[in-house]
Amino acid sequence: MSLSHHNSFTISIKYPHSFNLFMSIKTPRLLFVKKVNKSQQQLYHCKSISSSGQQLQELVVDDGGGGGGGGDGKYDDGQGQFGNLVKEHGWQVRRMVEEDDEMRSVANIQAEAFYDPVLIFNDVFFQFFQAEVLAGLLYRLRNSPPDRYACLVAETTTNSEGKQQLVGVVDVTVFRDASVLEHLRGADEYLYVSGIAVLRNFRRKKVASVLLKSCEMLARFWGYEYLVLRAYEDDLGARTLYSNAGYKVVSSDPVWTTTWIGKRRRVLMIKQCNLT
């Protein structure tokens, strides 16, 4: 079976022997734009297509601790690119390079973290989910100024072969949601942290903590005083991770839009950065 859209997005399925998905990222015509949250005026998080319908930005995988350290001091190169924001605990965090292989690696990390397995045709559904994650990433990149959205990646400093491996990812986006700004005194905009994910084999090794610290470094670099994220109220691991990183709960979703209708309730957490 083959599905195509103006020759720019193609999915090929050979089942049951194999499953092969190809997605052109050179000239994408994304099929998932309708999944973007139109209530946000800038950007732009793709939704999960998992059975739970949970949004990518509400999930976290890892519960590492904090730590000291810093980046390499190399920031903007004039084109929105910069060097390592943080380098500690054996990990370093930089901005994702917009190259085919790296973008696919980022999509794979988030897809592995956020996918809810199904009983039938699980591999097929995972490939579709991975394609949607990649589509969301491409949409954000194509529609975001470089100083309003960044996909940050954590990688090993080196491995046994002297090469670096991507192990984690986080999205950082400039937002100005009025319902959030009412908790941020004197702010017109803020940085929203979302889509944080760590490869399964590297969890509980402080990767997520280093990613969160890199978000704070980016906030200072871009001049934003507040970092904002959401976590599920019953996800004690994620909330502990965020609390250890300096985030505080300021509000929760109304029960009539969550608990009363069977949805998990989220808490809004903020962190104020020292810009001096």
Side-chain angles (χ1 to χ4, degrees), residues 140-158:
R140 294 191 293 274
L141 292 170
R142 300 296 185 264
N143 293 275
S144 308
D147 60 347
R148 297 188 70 83
Y149 168 74
C151 179
L152 304 180
V153 295
E155 60 188 357
T156 55
T157 52
T158 57

Side-chain angles (χ1 to χ4, degrees), residues 65-209:
D72 58 13
K74 300 175 182 178
Y75 291 115
D76 202 330
D77 64 358
Q79 297 181 346
Q81 198 61 264
F82 39 77
N84 294 323
L85 290 167
V86 177
K87 188 175 182 180
E88 60 186 39
H89 302 304
W91 317 115
Q92 58 191 26
V93 180
R94 58 173 172 79
R95 193 170 199 158
M96 183 194 73
V97 178
E98 293 184 34
E99 295 178 350
D100 187 295
D101 289 344
E102 183 144 310
M103 288 190 286
R104 290 178 185 276
S105 294
V106 166
N108 180 68
I109 292 171
Q110 290 186 320
E112 179 193 279
F114 304 138
Y115 178 68
D116 290 334
V118 295
L119 294 177
I120 302 176
F121 305 133
N122 185 68
D123 290 343
V124 174
F125 283 111
F126 177 78
Q127 292 288 342
F128 277 107
F129 180 77
Q130 190 176 37
E132 185 182 23
V133 174
L134 179 58
L137 173 63
L138 291 168
Y139 183 84
R140 294 191 293 274
L141 292 170
R142 300 296 185 264
N143 293 275
S144 308
D147 60 347
R148 297 188 70 83
Y149 168 74
C151 179
L152 304 180
V153 295
E155 60 188 357
T156 55
T157 52
T158 57
N159 62 17
S160 58
E161 299 178 352
K163 297 181 180 179
Q164 296 163 325
Q165 177 184 359
L166 295 189
V167 298
V169 59
V170 65
D171 293 312
V172 187
T173 310
V174 178
F175 274 164
R176 51 168 177 257
D177 188 323
S179 64
V180 175
L181 288 172
E182 66 184 20
H183 301 286
L184 312 179
R185 185 169 62 180
D188 297 321
E189 295 179 321
Y190 57 90
L191 287 192
Y192 187 72
V193 178
S194 63
I196 184 169
V198 177
L199 281 177
R200 185 173 291 107
N201 291 339
F202 295 91
R203 295 171 191 170
R204 301 180 183 273
K205 296 182 179 180
K206 299 186 182 297
V207 178
S209 297

Side-chain angles (χ1 to χ4, degrees), residues 55-69:
Q55 292 185 340
L56 293 177
Q57 63 263 35
E58 311 310 341
L59 303 178
V60 61
V61 181
D62 206 320
D63 60 356

